[in-house]
Structures are given as structure tokens and as C-alpha cells.
Amino acid sequence: MRILYGIQGTGNGHITRARVMASTFRALGVDVDYVFSGRKEQDYFDMDDFADYRVFRGLSFTSKSGQVDSFKTLKNARPLQLIKDIKGLDLRHYDLVFNDFEPITAWAAKQQNIPVIGMSHQAAFLSDKVPMFGRAFFRRALIRNYAPASVYLGVHWQPYAENIIPPFIATHHHDNPVMVENKVLVYLPFENLNNVVEYLKDFPEREFYCYHPDAQDCSIGNIHLRAPSRVGFLNDLANAGGVIGNAGFELASEALQLGKKLLLKPLGKQFEQGINAQTLLSMGAAHVMSYLNPNAMDDWLQSPQNKKLNFPSDPAPLVEWIRKKQWEKVDQLHKYLWQQVDLEQKLIV
């Protein structure tokens, strides 16, 4: 079986999930090529897991000061380039497109009659059993038309429906996994970096390790700025006493796996992050703020750690399910993977 894996490159969450999948595909000898879209080619980093991957412009959103800028998003869409890339992608040599919310490979496969398995967090929202907090019909239509699939496999923190599986969180060997209570990992890539620094200055008793696309490695008192680095990020996450971030799915999943308390500032006008924040708030697994709020920080710093959620680390059962080509039968895969999540720790809304 030869697979083309299409991955949404906006942010790092989809790429994080793809790293886990790539490692397993490689270990099991599955022939996979990788396509990324949604980010400039020079902005990808630590991409050795994907060998000779291809990059397209695709579709993405533009943000400003912590929220989606709708005008600039539409202005930068380049629909003619998108159509050209879809029509120019030749899939004759592939048996399957495996897709993580990436539009070019999904639409090319639809036009060329190649089956598509759409595995993403967004796909979970297609089930009416998953909390959507309003505008459900419009949002589900957007998801289906953004990256259409033959079979949808959702990824979520709860087993809401039979086509939903838990996230796969890779096991990493960390330099120093012993928790440092006053250390806080900060990842707010859509906020203005200067605004983030000014916000953190009000809390000199904490040591903040702040990763940001605009940062260079340096320290400003108790604020330690860090350029993007997957290894450095994971090391700091391992021993941090808490995490401040936007409400992306993968970072929240990694923090839940490690039992880290979460303070979330979702990206404004981005419905997925808004839903994630509300879901985690209703689960009692995060504090949420709509702006960089010092009072929210004060309350969060006094809160206890989360219980650890033991998400699976090995997607081999998923890869075997793909190989068998019985893609409509997801009940056994769903049951097997959720059995690996500690039922006593699972947080049911």
C-alpha cells in the first residue's frame, strides 16, 4: 500500500500528530509520502521525520493581536493558486490519501477517485454528540468542504462517538522530568510577543519559558524567550509546573498527558480553539481567559495540577486498521484505543 499523507501546516499541532504517525509508518514498513500546506516553506522546522516532503501554499488564516484577521485571511487566500495545485497533484501512484485537515490532497483525491481517510481533531466535530457551543450546522459544513473525506476519524479527549479515537502522545526521554513548581511554559504564537512579555513581567516570582515564532534565545529577568525548537519545548514542558497557551488541541493533549495545569487564551474568531477552551473548562481541566488577564493568572497560579490522562503512544493499531481497508468498521479500533485511557482518570463532560 502506498499512501499520500496530507497535513495542515498552520500551527504545530497537526505536525505533532503527524510525527507520531510517521514514526509508526516507518517502523511498519508502510510507503508514505508527505504533503504540507498552510505555511511558508522556510517557516517549517525540525522536519527530519518526513524525509522529502512537499509544500504547497494551501489555505490558512492570518492573525493579528491574538485573533483571526478575517479581511487579511480572505485577501491572502489565493483561490486560483489553490485550484491550480489541486488539479496539478497527480495521485495515480497512490492507493490512499491519509489526511489531517489538508485541503489540496483531500480535494485532489476527491476529483481523482482516490479514497481519503480524514483523521483530525476537526473531524470529531462532525458528530452531533460532540459539544459545539453554537453554530453547529455552519461549522460542520465548513469542515466537510474544507477537506472532504471518504471516511472521517475524529480525535478528541473523550469517546463521544464510535468514530472518535484518543490522541496519540509520543513518549519522550527528557533531560530533567522532575517538576519545577515555579516554572511555567508559555506558548502564545498568535499574540504579539511584546504584549506577552509585558503581561508576564507582573509575576516576577515565576520563571517563564516563552516559545514564540518571533523570539530569539535570551532572557529578560525571569522571562526566558525561546525560538521554536521541538526538543527544547518538550524538555521545558516535561518539568514545568504549568502551561499557558492558546487552545490548540495537541498542546492541551500533551499537557493533559503530563498532568499539567492549563491557562488558555483561545485565538479569537477561531471556532476550534473556542470550542476546545469551553470543553476543557467544562471538564474542569483548564482555566480560560479572553485576553491577557492578570486576575486570571492569579487565580490559575493558585489552582492544583490536573490528573494525568494516559493517552496511547503507539498508533500501530490505527495503521493496521488502515492496511486492512475495512475503514467503515471503526467500533473495534475505537474500543481498543479507549481501553488504554485510564477510566478512573477519564474526564466525562
Side-chain angles (χ1 to χ4, degrees):
M1 174 181 285
R2 190 175 182 197
I3 296 173
L4 182 66
Y5 192 166
I7 301 144
Q8 174 60 247
T10 303
N12 292 313
H14 302 270
I15 300 175
T16 296
R17 181 160 49 245
R19 291 183 200 282
V20 184
M21 292 299 302
S23 175
T24 302
F25 280 133
R26 189 165 53 249
L28 296 180
V30 182
D31 188 5
V32 183
D33 294 327
Y34 298 89
V35 165
F36 295 84
S37 73
R39 185 190 304 197
K40 294 179 181 178
E41 185 168 4
Q42 63 267 27
D43 291 339
Y44 291 94
F45 61 94
D46 295 344
M47 298 290 284
D48 292 344
D49 291 321
F50 308 110
D52 296 324
Y53 61 92
R54 285 180 284 174
V55 174
F56 292 95
R57 180 187 179 89
L59 290 173
S60 184
F61 57 78
T62 302
S63 64
K64 182 179 180 181
S65 301
Q67 68 177 14
V68 173
D69 187 322
S70 301
F71 175 76
K72 286 189 176 181
T73 296
L74 289 173
K75 182 180 178 181
N76 295 333
R78 304 289 193 275
L80 294 180
Q81 183 63 53
L82 178 70
I83 294 170
K84 180 180 177 181
D85 290 338
I86 290 171
K87 290 184 175 181
L89 186 59
D90 186 357
L91 302 178
R92 284 177 296 177
H93 303 296
Y94 295 101
D95 302 296
L96 170 71
V97 167
F98 192 67
N99 187 277
D100 193 337
F101 210 55
E102 195 289 308
I104 293 172
T105 54
W107 276 102
K110 183 178 178 68
Q111 292 182 355
Q112 296 175 47
N113 252 348
I114 303 296
V116 181
I117 296 176
M119 185 193 77
S120 66
H121 178 50
Q122 287 81 1
F125 298 129
L126 295 175
S127 169
D128 58 10
K129 297 178 181 179
V130 175
M132 286 284 276
F133 306 101
R135 303 183 69 186
F137 177 82
F138 171 78
R139 289 166 175 168
R140 288 179 180 130
L142 176 63
I143 291 168
R144 288 185 184 278
N145 286 283
Y146 186 90
S150 314
V151 176
Y152 291 98
L153 199 60
V155 184
H156 214 307
W157 301 304
Q158 301 292 325
Y160 293 110
E162 281 197 344
N163 71 322
I164 293 176
I165 62 175
F168 298 104
I169 307 298
T171 302
H172 296 280
H173 299 288
H174 304 290
D175 292 343
N176 184 10
V178 178
M179 189 180 75
V180 180
E181 185 66 35
N182 73 332
K183 179 176 180 177
V184 177
L185 177 69
V186 181
Y187 184 59
L188 295 166
F190 304 112
E191 306 293 323
N192 180 282
L193 180 57
N194 291 331
N195 292 344
V196 174
V197 171
E198 288 301 312
Y199 177 58
L200 300 177
K201 281 181 178 178
D202 288 338
F203 302 90
E205 71 280 6
R206 303 286 169 160
E207 297 291 324
F208 296 102
Y209 287 76
C210 179
Y211 285 79
H212 195 281
D214 297 331
Q216 298 296 323
D217 291 357
C218 68
S219 294
I220 306 171
N222 63 314
I223 303 168
H224 310 287
L225 300 181
R226 296 290 182 264
S229 165
R230 184 63 184 161
V231 173
F233 185 90
L234 289 172
N235 284 335
D236 286 325
L237 174 63
N239 64 8
V243 176
I244 301 173
N246 294 124
F249 180 76
E250 286 299 320
L251 175 56
S253 299
E254 290 176 320
L256 291 174
Q257 171 91 336
L258 295 170
K260 307 295 182 183
K261 61 183 183 181
L262 282 164
L263 175 58
L264 302 178
K265 192 275 178 189
L267 176 63
K269 300 183 181 179
Q270 210 277 349
F271 78 86
E272 179 203 347
Q273 291 209 4
I275 295 171
N276 289 344
Q278 289 300 311
T279 299
L280 289 168
L281 182 65
S282 68
M283 290 164 57
H287 288 224
V288 176
M289 56 184 175
S290 58
Y291 64 97
L292 298 177
N293 184 348
N295 293 327
M297 173 83 86
D298 281 328
D299 291 342
W300 175 72
L301 289 173
Q302 304 305 316
S303 66
Q305 295 292 337
N306 282 325
K307 293 181 179 179
K308 292 183 179 181
L309 287 180
N310 185 33
F311 294 124
S313 61
D314 182 10
L318 171 59
V319 174
E320 292 302 328
W321 174 81
I322 294 170
R323 279 175 156 174
K324 290 178 181 178
K325 297 185 179 182
Q326 297 177 337
W327 302 321
E328 298 294 340
K329 299 180 180 179
V330 298
D331 52 333
Q332 290 187 352
L333 177 68
H334 166 94
K335 182 178 180 180
Y336 178 80
L337 291 175
W338 281 107
Q339 283 176 342
Q340 298 180 46
V341 182
D342 190 331
L343 292 176
E344 292 184 1
Q345 296 176 344
K346 199 180 298 176
L347 300 167
I348 303 295
V349 177

